[in-house]
Amino acid sequence: MAIDFDKAAERLRNWGRWGEDDQRGTINHVGPEALKRAAAEVVSGKLISLGLEFSQDGPQIPEITKRPNPQLLASDLDQIFNPANPRSRFNDDVIVMPLQSATQWDALSHVHYDGEMYNGCKASECLTARGTKKNGVHHLGSPGIMSRGVLLDIARLHGVDELPADHKISPDELNRACEKFGVTVEAGDIVVVRTGHLRTFTVRKDKTKVAGFQAGLGAECAEWLYDKSAAAVAADNIAVEFLGMESLTQEVVLPFHMLAIRDMGMPLGELFDLEALSQDCAADGRYSFLLSAPPLKVTGAFGSPINPIVLK
Amino acid sequence: MAIDFDKAAERLRNWGRWGEDDQRGTINHVGPEALKRAAAEVVSGKLISLGLEFSQDGPQIPEITKRPNPQLLASDLDQIFNPANPRSRFNDDVIVMPLQSATQWDALSHVHYDGEMYNGCKASECLTARGTKKNGVHHLGSPGIMSRGVLLDIARLHGVDELPADHKISPDELNRACEKFGVTVEAGDIVVVRTGHLRTFTVRKDKTKVAGFQAGLGAECAEWLYDKSAAAVAADNIAVEFLGMESLTQEVVLPFHMLAIRDMGMPLGELFDLEALSQDCAADGRYSFLLSAPPLKVTGAFGSPINPIVLK
Amino acid sequence: MAIDFDKAAERLRNWGRWGEDDQRGTINHVGPEALKRAAAEVVSGKLISLGLEFSQDGPQIPEITKRPNPQLLASDLDQIFNPANPRSRFNDDVIVMPLQSATQWDALSHVHYDGEMYNGCKASECLTARGTKKNGVHHLGSPGIMSRGVLLDIARLHGVDELPADHKISPDELNRACEKFGVTVEAGDIVVVRTGHLRTFTVRKDKTKVAGFQAGLGAECAEWLYDKSAAAVAADNIAVEFLGMESLTQEVVLPFHMLAIRDMGMPLGELFDLEALSQDCAADGRYSFLLSAPPLKVTGAFGSPINPIVLK
Amino acid sequence: MAIDFDKAAERLRNWGRWGEDDQRGTINHVGPEALKRAAAEVVSGKLISLGLEFSQDGPQIPEITKRPNPQLLASDLDQIFNPANPRSRFNDDVIVMPLQSATQWDALSHVHYDGEMYNGCKASECLTARGTKKNGVHHLGSPGIMSRGVLLDIARLHGVDELPADHKISPDELNRACEKFGVTVEAGDIVVVRTGHLRTFTVRKDKTKVAGFQAGLGAECAEWLYDKSAAAVAADNIAVEFLGMESLTQEVVLPFHMLAIRDMGMPLGELFDLEALSQDCAADGRYSFLLSAPPLKVTGAFGSPINPIVLK
């Protein structure tokens, strides 16, 4: 790979930085100042959702991704509370869903390499059929993920709706996007990267490409995020990172995932729908905002479905 | 019941107020001004989660509530991406959960009476085994639920940790709480009511009482919330409203639910964990804050699990 | 349709025949004599399974059939019973599956028309989000489905591997099959009809046609089964009955289903894999056998997954 | 423990006996002769189910057993096939269930010790979050489990309804039962042992004891079953084997499970309801019969729910 993976990994490794027992990683960068800065971004009072719907018509193709789309089933329908007074009725439901099925945070337990997860816990000691004993997503949910968000609209930087599938985003492009869109990434910010890829699902209605090779961040971008002390990174693609043949065949498969999640302890936000946000930012020229995306506190989970919302 | 239900229902009914096709109800009260007011509340940059964990050890007792606790199962564990390069591994999971199992929003389709749901849609035409065709929780998730939150700490008003089970909260108490805690509920605010009831689960670890008779809002409080143009109401109990024998035996069972959800179109937030927030508000004397609790956009669902977060 | 549906329905209707509370329908035809006759068929001691596997690779295409394939997940893996003595380990699992996903019995509650199910129970009073109050599959499971089976190999009758999709099997063909294969259907027998259709899945590995138009029994065959006092009917296709455009557009959609299940109270066995049985019967010239296919006693279910086995 | 576990294990180990790739273990003892003998037992034509119902009211207490009871949910209710012809309707459902929740077979992958499963496959290479690569229950389902069954009614032998919880059944008692009830266990037979324990659930309706200490087979009985060349063993308790403090604290926890499943390759049938069968056998004096209990072919599963049926 372009970068020397193991050397980069050593430099970026945040293990012990926030204590031996830390399970929140770079979310620790979000302190009171970052949160106040986030609130200070609110000018127009406009609210935008970045979340996909969770439904049988979601972006998964089980034969390809091994993940079924969410299945919602009623458990009570038009149910009478009290037969003696049948006017009042209620409805309840149950969902069966992969936590990675649509818009989501990857928890710090989602990936690992060389047998160790973030902060040095042994995969063999943590992983169970009922979830992980360490780095479960509930730690990211306490108190939750909120901060200033910054949109780096790489598709717009290049004047296209969607980056081509073989486009690997470089740190230099991130810098150029900051410059063009007039933003500076500060400690504790959540970096939101737009590739346009999700339009294959939301606009072009072609699910076959959602999980294929696609544009995204190159491994070097992990260093950029580290140097900026970013709290998290999210994108409108399936893995945040660039997916090409090399991603799956190099010595460390999915190197950006490994550096970000396992070494830095940085949650990745995937399948964020950034179309409305992109248009809004282009319209008002403001690419920073308050971003709220609290994961569900699912005990021991490897990720969480979310509905991220932006307040500008 | 103390109030004339049908007369109150007629007065509070918001059907058509936001259009014939509206499926968001009182969330429509949240406009740019309310959101800017919410952001303006941020002073200390302190973040607090109000969400319970979702786990097998959750607050449900299936024999009593008919709802199992969430079940998390790994679908991939220590899985190698590419056998030729086995350093990188990943973990995925699946959850089976009632959407009403822990901290959650009731969608506008969660309850109804006389065969009609919020905004006049016929239950018989909307309800299916795969969810509802109208008033699904995904409408509340677009763009999501965020606003200024106001804590009315009724337990603290009375100087107790937990209100007794037979305590039905009156509008007068809500007014006294506003006065005592120095807050004024404005249009679009989310009213958060603390009874102390959830301490039976979070502090006293006694699940047997979570779903029993308990303190909560009396039906008249729906009128109060209507008159304040509140956007939503949440509490640290199982149904927001007071639960006593009368709740289940009067002509319209669960009258507050029916007035709020079905007539007003107001989402109810249940099983919010308010202990940390209560202590923080008491410490700094500030009972209003930015509250972010975006429901998952589960298409057609009767509710959504959430992790509500407060930024002060 | 070729037959006068309502007239046929009236003649075939078994309501009340086995009591007002009966929920087992034509399975009542299986008495001690039929069971002894079944056992008497055993000559070679050969056992053959007619069941498909239940797996993610099953015959469903959720986008078409609205049914996901079964999902199996471990709930305990390599789990130590007692940490002090870690030699012994165990593994447990959980399945999420549509009861109609592969080889299965349709219960008497699976279909209905004009608002009534088998034996006159009102659909509106029986159907709930948690299953049916009447005619649940557990009644067919008590004591279970076993009898003499008779293979009517219609594909072999015509000298083909698979009947063409537009082949609607007639009573006359059933008679000719009996004659050719030397069997007489007697009261209490389970009639097993082979069309060859399932080869699209088991042999040709083309799932796209499993749920499409396909060969099967015409509605008149319900009369034939009634007159024979058959206990049940099964086939190697998705609905036992012929599926063509007319099946879905005539006044009573799926007329064979309606006559058999709702009027006669006859369970339908679907997606039986009959290839090995067909070859074995052709080899030894014996087309009758003991057939055991006990449904799981899933309380209130509309069907049951099964592994039907034949002993010859 | 009373027996020298490792010495017994070595003697009973059937690895390689039926080939290096065998995944069916002692079910291989069931050949044509055993099956013909089973059919020859049929005299009265009486059918008896030994299966429990699968429902929310099943025998599991999740807090104790970590297994939820089965949850059945409708996926289609009163659903119209074709809106233009709305007379015909259908109902479909989905189940979420532990495969070990009620009456079931343990597959040969259900337990193991010293890192190896039946026939020497390494647990670490076979076990995945989506099931096992070897010894999955689908192998037992091909062609299925049917044979002559023999009831050894140990409770009746002692003249009690239920054996006391501290009663560990010895090989000598099995011999005495054979003698008293006039049966001889032959190669390929399925041995069915009655303790009366399940009456705590089926008769006394006290679920709290279903999973507690209870009567069952001592480890030495594995040797007895081996010497008889039994095909399988089933009982009306939760683990077939005796459960006392020693079961969980000795060096090899659950020694009977380990000898039978892991070394011999013998499936265990658990939570069989033997009350009706016991009464019937006592009434007609015939303790042998045809037993059909085909497991569902769930690919890679550690067990299968079943509805075992007896034909006498």
Side-chain angles (χ1 to χ4, degrees):
Chain A
M1 66 197 83
I3 64 167
D4 180 329
F5 180 85
D6 288 309
K7 192 168 160 190
E10 192 177 335
R11 181 169 85 85
L12 307 189
R13 197 165 296 145
N14 282 322
W15 300 7
R17 180 172 180 173
W18 295 287
E20 287 199 359
D21 293 333
D22 179 61
Q23 302 179 58
R24 302 179 68 249
T26 53
I27 294 296
N28 285 294
H29 283 308
V30 183
E33 293 314 308
L35 286 162
K36 285 190 279 186
R37 200 169 62 237
E41 292 283 354
V42 178
V43 172
S44 63
K46 185 163 187 179
L47 196 62
I48 300 169
S49 165
L50 312 183
L52 294 178
E53 292 192 21
F54 294 90
S55 84
Q56 281 284 296
D57 300 321
Q60 303 293 327
I61 300 180
E63 286 73 14
I64 296 175
T65 62
K66 303 291 179 198
R67 297 167 177 159
N69 284 300
Q71 182 168 28
L72 177 74
L73 296 171
S75 53
D76 287 288
L77 270 181
D78 205 23
Q79 186 73 24
I80 298 171
F81 283 103
N82 177 356
N85 293 303
R87 290 180 70 184
S88 293
R89 312 289 180 99
F90 72 99
N91 310 292
D92 266 18
D93 39 18
V94 168
I95 199 163
V96 181
M97 69 185 297
L99 298 179
Q100 293 75 25
S101 58
T103 310
Q104 59 131 343
W105 285 118
D106 285 350
L108 304 188
S109 48
H110 180 51
V111 299
H112 59 280
Y113 66 87
D114 292 354
E116 290 183 312
M117 287 200 285
Y118 170 69
N119 222 359
C121 68
K122 308 277 186 213
S124 61
E125 293 172 6
C126 290
L127 299 175
T128 84
R130 296 177 191 266
T132 179
K133 295 177 185 170
K134 294 275 184 182
N135 294 324
V137 82
H138 58 299
H139 294 288
L140 301 181
S142 302
I145 298 182
M146 180 188 275
S147 194
R148 193 176 78 128
V150 172
L151 176 65
L152 302 186
D153 193 336
I154 308 300
R156 189 174 299 274
L157 177 71
H158 291 284
V160 297
D161 283 337
E162 305 177 34
L163 296 174
D166 63 355
H167 187 114
K168 181 162 59 169
I169 298 169
S170 68
D172 179 59
E173 282 173 283
L174 299 181
N175 284 325
R176 284 161 52 206
C178 286
E179 189 173 355
K180 177 176 175 101
F181 301 124
V183 289
T184 306
V185 174
E186 298 185 60
D189 282 353
I190 298 171
V191 175
V192 181
V193 178
R194 181 167 170 270
T195 67
H197 173 73
L198 196 55
R199 293 170 59 94
T200 189
F201 176 68
T202 57
V203 178
R204 290 191 284 108
K205 314 292 182 193
D206 176 6
K207 288 169 64 162
T208 63
K209 297 218 172 52
V210 172
F213 290 157
Q214 57 196 271
L217 297 184
E220 299 85 345
C221 294
E223 299 183 294
W224 190 91
L225 291 162
Y226 177 88
D227 292 335
K228 300 291 188 190
S229 296
V233 61
D236 59 345
N237 57 13
I238 205 167
V240 176
E241 83 180 285
F242 170 72
L243 293 182
M245 184 56 75
E246 66 176 75
S247 313
L248 300 174
T249 54
Q250 55 201 350
E251 189 197 332
V252 178
V253 172
L254 293 187
F256 178 86
H257 259 70
M258 299 301 152
L259 293 173
I261 294 178
R262 189 265 203 182
D263 290 306
M264 294 165 60
M266 175 175 284
L268 306 192
E270 295 164 345
L271 297 173
F272 278 46
D273 182 359
L274 302 177
E275 295 307 291
L277 180 64
S278 168
Q279 290 172 28
D280 193 82
C281 293
D284 69 5
R286 305 193 68 255
Y287 283 77
S288 54
F289 35 78
L290 183 149
L291 173 58
S292 173
L296 294 183
K297 292 189 201 171
V298 184
T299 312
F302 303 124
S304 171
I306 46 173
N307 180 10
I309 53 177
V310 157
L311 179 58
K312 295 186 73 173
Chain B
M1 65 196 83
I3 64 166
D4 180 328
F5 180 85
D6 288 309
K7 194 169 158 190
E10 193 177 336
R11 181 169 85 85
L12 307 188
R13 197 164 296 146
N14 282 323
W15 302 6
R17 181 172 180 173
W18 295 287
E20 287 199 358
D21 293 334
D22 178 61
Q23 302 179 59
R24 301 180 67 249
T26 53
I27 294 296
N28 285 293
H29 284 306
V30 183
E33 293 314 308
L35 285 162
K36 286 190 278 187
R37 200 169 61 239
E41 291 284 353
V42 179
V43 172
S44 63
K46 184 163 188 179
L47 195 63
I48 300 169
S49 164
L50 312 183
L52 295 178
E53 291 193 21
F54 294 90
S55 83
Q56 280 285 296
D57 300 321
Q60 302 294 327
I61 300 180
E63 286 74 14
I64 296 175
T65 62
K66 303 290 179 199
R67 295 167 179 159
N69 284 301
Q71 182 169 27
L72 177 74
L73 296 171
S75 53
D76 287 288
L77 269 181
D78 204 22
Q79 186 73 25
I80 297 172
F81 283 104
N82 177 355
N85 294 303
R87 290 179 70 183
S88 293
R89 313 288 180 101
F90 73 99
N91 310 291
D92 265 18
D93 40 17
V94 168
I95 199 163
V96 181
M97 70 186 296
L99 298 181
Q100 293 75 25
S101 59
T103 310
Q104 59 133 341
W105 286 117
D106 285 350
L108 304 188
S109 49
H110 180 51
V111 300
H112 60 281
Y113 67 86
D114 292 355
E116 291 182 313
M117 287 200 284
Y118 170 69
N119 222 359
C121 68
K122 307 278 185 212
S124 60
E125 293 173 5
C126 291
L127 298 175
T128 84
R130 296 176 191 265
T132 179
K133 295 177 185 169
K134 294 275 184 183
N135 294 323
V137 82
H138 57 299
H139 295 288
L140 301 181
S142 302
I145 298 182
M146 179 189 276
S147 192
R148 194 177 77 129
V150 172
L151 176 65
L152 303 185
D153 193 335
I154 308 300
R156 189 173 299 274
L157 176 72
H158 291 284
V160 297
D161 282 340
E162 305 178 33
L163 296 175
D166 64 354
H167 188 114
K168 181 162 58 171
I169 297 168
S170 67
D172 179 59
E173 283 173 281
L174 299 180
N175 285 326
R176 284 161 52 204
C178 287
E179 190 173 354
K180 178 175 174 105
F181 301 123
V183 288
T184 305
V185 173
E186 298 184 63
D189 282 353
I190 297 170
V191 175
V192 181
V193 178
R194 181 168 169 268
T195 67
H197 172 73
L198 195 56
R199 292 170 59 93
T200 190
F201 177 68
T202 56
V203 178
R204 289 191 285 108
K205 314 290 182 195
D206 176 6
K207 288 167 65 160
T208 63
K209 298 219 172 51
V210 172
F213 290 157
Q214 58 195 271
L217 297 184
E220 299 85 345
C221 295
E223 299 182 295
W224 190 91
L225 291 161
Y226 177 89
D227 292 337
K228 299 292 189 191
S229 296
V233 61
D236 60 345
N237 56 14
I238 205 167
V240 176
E241 84 179 287
F242 170 72
L243 293 183
M245 184 56 75
E246 66 175 75
S247 313
L248 300 173
T249 55
Q250 56 200 349
E251 190 197 332
V252 177
V253 172
L254 294 186
F256 178 87
H257 259 70
M258 299 301 152
L259 293 174
I261 294 177
R262 189 266 203 181
D263 290 307
M264 293 165 58
M266 176 176 282
L268 305 191
E270 295 165 347
L271 297 173
F272 278 46
D273 182 359
L274 303 177
E275 295 308 291
L277 179 64
S278 169
Q279 289 172 28
D280 192 83
C281 293
D284 70 3
R286 307 192 67 256
Y287 283 78
S288 53
F289 35 77
L290 183 149
L291 173 58
S292 173
L296 295 183
K297 293 189 201 172
V298 184
T299 312
F302 303 124
S304 172
I306 46 173
N307 180 11
I309 53 177
V310 156
L311 178 59
K312 296 186 72 170
Chain C
M1 66 196 83
I3 65 166
D4 180 328
F5 179 86
D6 289 309
K7 193 168 160 190
E10 191 178 336
R11 181 170 85 85
L12 308 188
R13 196 165 297 145
N14 281 324
W15 301 6
R17 180 171 180 173
W18 295 287
E20 287 198 358
D21 294 333
D22 179 62
Q23 300 178 61
R24 301 180 66 249
T26 54
I27 294 296
N28 285 292
H29 284 306
V30 183
E33 294 314 309
L35 285 161
K36 287 191 279 187
R37 200 168 63 238
E41 292 284 353
V42 178
V43 172
S44 63
K46 184 164 188 178
L47 195 62
I48 300 169
S49 165
L50 312 183
L52 295 178
E53 292 192 22
F54 294 90
S55 83
Q56 280 284 297
D57 299 322
Q60 303 294 326
I61 300 180
E63 285 74 15
I64 296 175
T65 62
K66 303 290 177 197
R67 295 166 179 160
N69 284 300
Q71 181 168 27
L72 177 74
L73 296 171
S75 54
D76 288 288
L77 269 181
D78 204 23
Q79 186 73 25
I80 298 171
F81 282 104
N82 178 354
N85 294 302
R87 290 180 68 183
S88 294
R89 312 289 179 101
F90 72 99
N91 310 291
D92 266 19
D93 40 18
V94 168
I95 199 163
V96 181
M97 69 185 297
L99 297 179
Q100 292 75 26
S101 58
T103 310
Q104 60 134 339
W105 285 117
D106 285 350
L108 305 188
S109 48
H110 180 52
V111 300
H112 60 281
Y113 66 86
D114 292 355
E116 291 183 313
M117 286 199 286
Y118 170 69
N119 223 358
C121 69
K122 306 280 185 210
S124 60
E125 292 172 7
C126 291
L127 298 175
T128 83
R130 296 177 191 267
T132 179
K133 295 177 185 169
K134 294 276 184 181
N135 294 323
V137 83
H138 58 299
H139 294 288
L140 301 181
S142 302
I145 299 181
M146 180 189 275
S147 192
R148 192 176 80 127
V150 172
L151 176 66
L152 303 186
D153 193 337
I154 307 301
R156 188 174 299 275
L157 177 71
H158 291 284
V160 296
D161 283 336
E162 305 177 34
L163 297 174
D166 64 353
H167 187 115
K168 181 161 58 170
I169 297 168
S170 68
D172 179 59
E173 283 173 282
L174 299 181
N175 285 325
R176 284 161 52 205
C178 287
E179 190 172 354
K180 177 175 175 104
F181 301 123
V183 288
T184 305
V185 173
E186 297 185 62
D189 282 353
I190 298 170
V191 175
V192 180
V193 178
R194 180 169 170 270
T195 67
H197 172 73
L198 195 55
R199 292 171 60 93
T200 190
F201 176 68
T202 57
V203 178
R204 288 190 286 106
K205 314 291 183 194
D206 176 5
K207 289 168 63 161
T208 63
K209 297 218 173 50
V210 172
F213 290 157
Q214 57 196 272
L217 297 184
E220 299 85 345
C221 295
E223 299 183 295
W224 189 91
L225 292 162
Y226 177 90
D227 292 336
K228 300 291 188 190
S229 296
V233 61
D236 60 345
N237 56 13
I238 205 167
V240 177
E241 82 181 286
F242 170 72
L243 294 182
M245 184 56 76
E246 66 176 76
S247 312
L248 299 174
T249 55
Q250 56 200 350
E251 189 198 333
V252 178
V253 172
L254 294 187
F256 179 86
H257 259 70
M258 299 300 152
L259 293 173
I261 293 177
R262 188 265 202 181
D263 289 306
M264 294 165 59
M266 175 174 284
L268 306 192
E270 295 164 347
L271 296 174
F272 278 46
D273 182 0
L274 303 176
E275 295 308 291
L277 180 63
S278 169
Q279 290 172 27
D280 192 82
C281 292
D284 70 5
R286 305 193 68 255
Y287 283 77
S288 53
F289 36 77
L290 183 147
L291 173 58
S292 174
L296 295 183
K297 292 189 200 172
V298 183
T299 312
F302 302 124
S304 172
I306 47 173
N307 180 10
I309 54 178
V310 156
L311 179 58
K312 296 186 73 171
Chain D
M1 66 197 84
I3 64 168
D4 180 328
F5 180 85
D6 288 310
K7 192 169 161 190
E10 191 177 337
R11 181 169 85 86
L12 308 188
R13 197 164 297 145
N14 281 322
W15 300 6
R17 180 172 180 173
W18 295 288
E20 286 198 359
D21 292 334
D22 179 60
Q23 301 178 60
R24 301 179 68 249
T26 53
I27 294 297
N28 285 294
H29 283 306
V30 184
E33 294 314 308
L35 285 161
K36 286 191 278 186
R37 199 168 63 237
E41 291 284 352
V42 179
V43 172
S44 63
K46 185 164 188 177
L47 196 62
I48 300 170
S49 164
L50 312 183
L52 295 178
E53 292 192 20
F54 294 90
S55 83
Q56 280 283 296
D57 300 321
Q60 303 293 327
I61 300 180
E63 285 75 14
I64 296 176
T65 62
K66 303 289 178 199
R67 295 166 178 161
N69 284 301
Q71 181 168 28
L72 178 73
L73 296 171
S75 53
D76 288 288
L77 271 180
D78 205 23
Q79 186 72 24
I80 298 171
F81 283 104
N82 178 353
N85 295 302
R87 290 179 70 183
S88 293
R89 312 288 180 101
F90 72 99
N91 311 291
D92 265 20
D93 40 18
V94 168
I95 199 163
V96 181
M97 70 186 296
L99 297 180
Q100 293 75 25
S101 58
T103 310
Q104 60 133 339
W105 285 116
D106 284 350
L108 304 189
S109 48
H110 180 51
V111 299
H112 59 281
Y113 67 86
D114 293 354
E116 291 184 313
M117 288 200 285
Y118 170 70
N119 222 358
C121 69
K122 307 278 185 212
S124 60
E125 293 172 5
C126 290
L127 298 175
T128 84
R130 297 177 190 266
T132 179
K133 295 177 185 170
K134 293 276 184 181
N135 293 323
V137 83
H138 58 298
H139 294 288
L140 301 181
S142 302
I145 299 181
M146 180 188 275
S147 192
R148 193 176 79 128
V150 173
L151 177 65
L152 301 186
D153 193 336
I154 308 299
R156 188 173 299 276
L157 177 72
H158 291 284
V160 297
D161 282 338
E162 306 178 31
L163 296 174
D166 63 355
H167 187 115
K168 180 160 60 171
I169 297 169
S170 68
D172 179 59
E173 282 173 282
L174 298 180
N175 285 326
R176 284 160 53 205
C178 286
E179 189 173 355
K180 178 175 174 102
F181 301 123
V183 287
T184 304
V185 174
E186 298 184 61
D189 281 354
I190 298 171
V191 175
V192 181
V193 178
R194 180 170 170 269
T195 66
H197 173 73
L198 196 56
R199 292 170 60 92
T200 189
F201 177 68
T202 57
V203 178
R204 290 190 286 106
K205 315 290 183 194
D206 176 5
K207 288 167 64 160
T208 64
K209 298 218 172 52
V210 172
F213 290 158
Q214 58 196 272
L217 297 184
E220 299 85 346
C221 295
E223 299 182 296
W224 189 91
L225 292 162
Y226 177 89
D227 293 336
K228 300 292 189 190
S229 296
V233 61
D236 60 344
N237 56 14
I238 205 167
V240 177
E241 83 180 286
F242 170 73
L243 293 183
M245 184 57 73
E246 66 176 75
S247 313
L248 300 173
T249 56
Q250 55 200 350
E251 188 197 333
V252 178
V253 172
L254 294 187
F256 178 87
H257 259 69
M258 299 301 152
L259 293 173
I261 294 177
R262 189 265 203 182
D263 290 307
M264 292 165 60
M266 175 175 283
L268 306 192
E270 294 164 346
L271 296 174
F272 278 47
D273 182 1
L274 302 177
E275 294 308 291
L277 179 63
S278 169
Q279 289 172 29
D280 193 82
C281 293
D284 70 4
R286 305 193 67 255
Y287 283 77
S288 53
F289 34 78
L290 183 149
L291 174 58
S292 172
L296 295 183
K297 292 190 201 171
V298 183
T299 312
F302 303 124
S304 171
I306 46 173
N307 180 11
I309 55 178
V310 156
L311 178 59
K312 294 187 73 172

